[in-house]
Amino acid sequence: MAANRAANTTQGVGETDATDATAEIEDTLRAEKTSMLQQPKAVWAVALASVFAFMGIGLVDPILPAIAENLQATPSQVSLLFTSYFLVTAVAMLITGFVSSRIGGKKTLLIGLGIIVVFAALAGTSGDVFTLVGFRAGWGLGNALFVATALAVMVGVASGGSATAIILYEAALGLGLSLGPLVGALLGGWQWRAPFFGTATLMAAAFMALMILLPKTPAPAKRTRLRDPLLALAHPGLRTTAGSALFYNYGFFTILAFTPFILGMNAYGIGAVFFGWGVAVAVFSVFVAPVLQRRFGPVKTLLGSLGALLLVLVGLGLAAGHSVPTIVVLVIIGGALLGINNTLFTELAMEVSDSPRPVASAGYNFVRWLGGSIAPFAAAKLAEHFGAPVMFYTAAAALLIGMLIIVGGRRYLAAHAPHGV
């Protein structure tokens, strides 16, 4: 009987411990949810401006065929709208910390927004595709100054720590990616130039909102040198994350930049497809990625999501030219996987090294956006010469390389990965 009492006592203690642990987890989740919503006005102002900025990425998607038709350009020439934008964004990432550490985050954000307003408006006046490509390059400079600084500012002013700021940032990314094609379709269905003028108007509104709501952010005590982002990439964990993200972004922007040409739809149809895609990006980046990361760890989750996206790309290759409904479904599924990947890559990049977050972000984004700049033109050329299936299979191969880089650098990620591996 004594043994039974001891066993019952032990069982009771075990049940109590389990109940306490469950209650602690529930309290933590409630606290995270509360801190996510209860943010200073400055955070929401930066987040809203980020939505408008990210709208510029997918804005041109629904009007790519219309631009090609009106400016008498080939798909590969039109794809340069993405290439010039992301190439300048990538290179400019190396100077964002240098600038913001001298004039402060608020001034850097406002300068970036001002540049976007000017070049988005100029893009709407373009008379040929190469002039449009040039204006998109200037747009990319403003995008780099804004995007790199926005995340650092949100981390600095958000309540709930860096993880909350990153989730809000990724939510802004997903919302912007979803609204961009929708706005592009609504305006582009009327006139292909209208989305550019619409973006300029939205960014001007964001400029005013930040000027009013964002308090002055003093320059950091320590100034960032131009070479610091490149030096940060010497850290094996950050180098692994950035290298994998380069190949991941090749697959990402293969879907974004070329799929409109094989859907055979008008601007409204393409906009609807990529609106669904963007909604999937937003929902899975905010609500699903954190749950999967807590359950399986960032590395296992990232490998699983990259592997699933690889299969989506293979499926797109098999469906290209055969089944538009299948392509639509796979594109939206791909958006869900992209949402998971974006959150995990960003959090790893911000936490995996010992570099200051703005410096690590600049180095990571420099490498990451190079993949985004290469993919659109390379994908279009592959499709023109060998067909759309080969283009998608090449993107799938890029995803495989990205996965192998993660596997090879797993031990470096495990040492500093957020929430463990």
Side-chain angles (χ1 to χ4, degrees):
M1 291 180 63
N4 288 338
R5 284 195 299 271
N8 291 335
T9 301
T10 303
Q11 183 179 1
V13 171
E15 290 174 350
T16 301
D17 290 343
T19 302
D20 291 343
T22 302
E24 184 178 349
I25 292 173
E26 291 175 351
D27 290 341
T28 300
L29 293 176
R30 279 195 294 269
E32 288 180 358
K33 183 177 180 181
T34 301
S35 65
M36 184 90 62
L37 298 176
Q38 295 179 351
Q39 298 293 331
K41 290 180 181 179
V43 173
W44 296 117
V46 177
L48 181 61
S50 299
V51 171
F52 293 157
F54 288 124
M55 283 172 63
I57 296 177
L59 178 87
V60 298
D61 249 38
I63 57 174
L64 289 177
I67 291 174
E69 180 181 352
N70 283 276
L71 298 183
Q72 298 179 341
T74 65
S76 59
Q77 289 173 334
V78 173
S79 73
L80 291 172
L81 293 173
F82 287 101
T83 294
S84 65
Y85 179 81
F86 289 122
L87 182 60
V88 172
T89 295
V91 175
M93 285 291 176
L94 298 177
I95 69 167
T96 55
F98 178 86
V99 173
S100 65
S101 66
R102 283 158 175 78
I103 66 175
K106 180 175 182 177
K107 289 182 179 178
T108 306
L109 290 176
L110 292 176
I111 290 172
L113 288 174
I115 292 173
I116 295 174
V117 170
V118 170
F119 281 98
L122 288 173
T125 68
S126 302
D128 62 82
V129 69
F130 294 109
T131 301
L132 181 55
V133 168
F135 289 142
R136 279 282 284 182
W139 190 338
L141 172 62
N143 181 67
L145 289 170
F146 178 83
V147 169
T149 310
L151 179 56
V153 169
M154 288 181 71
V155 168
V157 300
S159 60
S162 63
T164 299
I166 289 170
I167 292 174
L168 289 171
Y169 178 82
E170 291 299 333
L173 169 61
L175 190 58
L177 288 175
S178 64
L179 292 178
L182 186 63
V183 172
L186 294 175
L187 296 177
W190 167 57
Q191 160 61 249
W192 72 265
R193 299 177 187 274
F196 297 108
F197 294 123
T199 297
T201 302
L202 288 173
M203 298 311 289
F207 183 96
M208 296 302 297
L210 283 188
M211 182 176 288
I212 296 170
L213 296 176
L214 183 63
K216 182 179 179 181
T217 54
K222 183 178 180 181
R223 293 183 173 184
T224 300
R225 300 168 298 178
L226 285 173
R227 64 178 182 272
D228 283 349
L230 295 176
L231 294 176
L233 291 170
H235 187 281
L238 185 61
R239 188 169 64 245
T240 297
T241 304
S244 180
L246 184 150
F247 290 97
Y248 157 65
N249 271 267
Y250 185 95
F252 183 148
F253 288 102
T254 293
I255 296 174
L256 185 64
F258 196 82
T259 306
F261 288 105
I262 63 172
L263 286 173
M265 299 177 177
N266 60 19
Y268 298 114
I270 296 170
V273 171
F274 278 93
F275 174 70
W277 170 84
V279 169
V281 172
V283 170
F284 276 73
S285 66
V286 175
F287 298 106
V288 178
V291 174
L292 292 177
Q293 177 172 275
R294 282 194 294 266
R295 177 71 181 272
F296 302 106
V299 173
K300 289 181 180 178
T301 303
L302 193 56
L303 286 173
S305 187
L306 288 173
L309 185 59
L310 185 156
L311 296 178
V312 166
L313 286 163
V314 171
L316 286 169
L318 294 172
H322 300 291
S323 174
V324 170
T326 302
I327 293 173
V328 170
V329 171
L330 288 174
V331 164
I332 294 174
I333 292 173
L337 298 170
L338 293 170
I340 296 170
N341 290 330
N342 286 345
T343 295
L344 294 178
F345 269 120
T346 300
E347 190 161 341
L348 280 172
M350 296 293 282
E351 303 288 348
V352 79
S353 74
D354 299 324
S355 299
R357 290 191 179 100
V359 173
S361 176
Y364 161 74
N365 278 296
F366 165 65
V367 178
R368 171 194 184 188
W369 291 118
L370 284 178
S373 68
I374 295 168
F377 185 72
K381 280 297 184 183
L382 285 170
E384 289 174 0
H385 287 87
F386 304 106
V390 172
M391 173 195 69
F392 285 119
Y393 298 149
T394 302
L399 263 292
L400 179 59
I401 295 172
M403 293 175 66
L404 293 175
I405 291 174
I406 291 290
V407 171
R410 181 189 181 98
R411 64 185 183 278
Y412 304 121
L413 301 181
H416 296 283
H419 309 307
V421 177

